[in-house]
Amino acid sequence: MTALAIRNASVFYPVPGKAPVHALKDITLDINEGDFVVALGASGCGKSTLLNLIAGFMAPSKGDIRLGDRVVTGPGADRSVVFQKHALLPWLNVLENVAFGLKIQGHERRKREEIARGFIKLLGLEQFEQSATYQLSGGMQQRVGIARALTSDPDILLMDEPLGALDALTRERAQELILKIWRDTGKMVFFITHSVEEALFMGTKLVVMSPRPGRISHVFDLPFSRRYFETGNAREIKASADFIALREKILQIIFTDEEGAHHE
Ligand code: ADP
Ligand code: MG
């Protein structure tokens, strides 16, 4: 069964006094149960636009997006977004931030704290429940953002370069944590990154996009996260021969796209 279906979606951004920007052209993509779909591509190729369509923050100029049997017409609790810059509320502590969406949905305090505590534990933040979020490191703030995104029990988690601002070591640990959460919760994931290594390591399906207009140029099925669950050794997988070969192939694709765009 196809859970999320994007069919021939195109986006034109109007620009006053100029031709519209053709940000996405004819995007067709399925995200099925159990999929961790990663979108990779040069800056400006429409990755965030695609995520915003799925989130329902904007509507496609052409085409449509369905989740199950419903057409996406706006934001909903069945899709949660995690941004690069956490969007936490500085006047609330960790527990209140994680429980915030549940409060908006009208859950009473005891219920929402119980749900929030479950996700705080899942993200390894038990000791920081009462902390102010601005006192936490960037990696921990992102974990709070992920915990909050999970509280609405969405079908799909949408992540726009969630690890882009983290230092290298924190980033690698966060990759492993997100993979475990994906496995343990069974959520579908749509994940945007600039990093080829991150994309290959995390995804079950890799979507390579190219710019002007933004479109999907290649799709690859990936074996590496499954291998990680077998061995538990991320570095070994990232250093393996088939991983490196595919990494170089994809870098070639992206560089060729870039050069093509500059010669237009
Ligand atoms: P990415 O996330 O891959 O970097 P975006 O989806 O942000 O790409 O942008 C795709 C293209 O659409 C870019 O050329 C960008 O400049 C343009 N764009 C994005 N948002 C707007 C907007 N609100 N108005 C006009 N152009 C936009
Ligand atoms: Mg973007």
Side-chain angles (χ1 to χ4, degrees), residues 13-15 21-24 41-50 52 160-161 192 194 209 212 214:
Y13 286 110
V15 183
V21 175
H22 196 176
L24 286 178
S43 163
C45 68
K47 303 181 295 294
S48 295
T49 302
L50 181 55
N52 288 334
D160 196 346
E161 303 191 33
I192 296 174
H194 267 119
M209 297 180 66
R212 284 175 285 267

Side-chain angles (χ1 to χ4, degrees), residues 12 76 92 123 170 256:
F12 296 89
L92 299 179
L123 275 293
T170 306
T256 310

Side-chain angles (χ1 to χ4, degrees), residues 172 176 201 224 227-240:
E172 299 222 1
E176 296 179 55
F201 178 61
F224 303 108
R227 213 180 285 171
Y228 166 70
F229 290 130
E230 283 160 22
T231 68
N233 190 335
R235 271 316 337 159
E236 184 179 76
I237 287 160
K238 292 171 181 176
S240 65

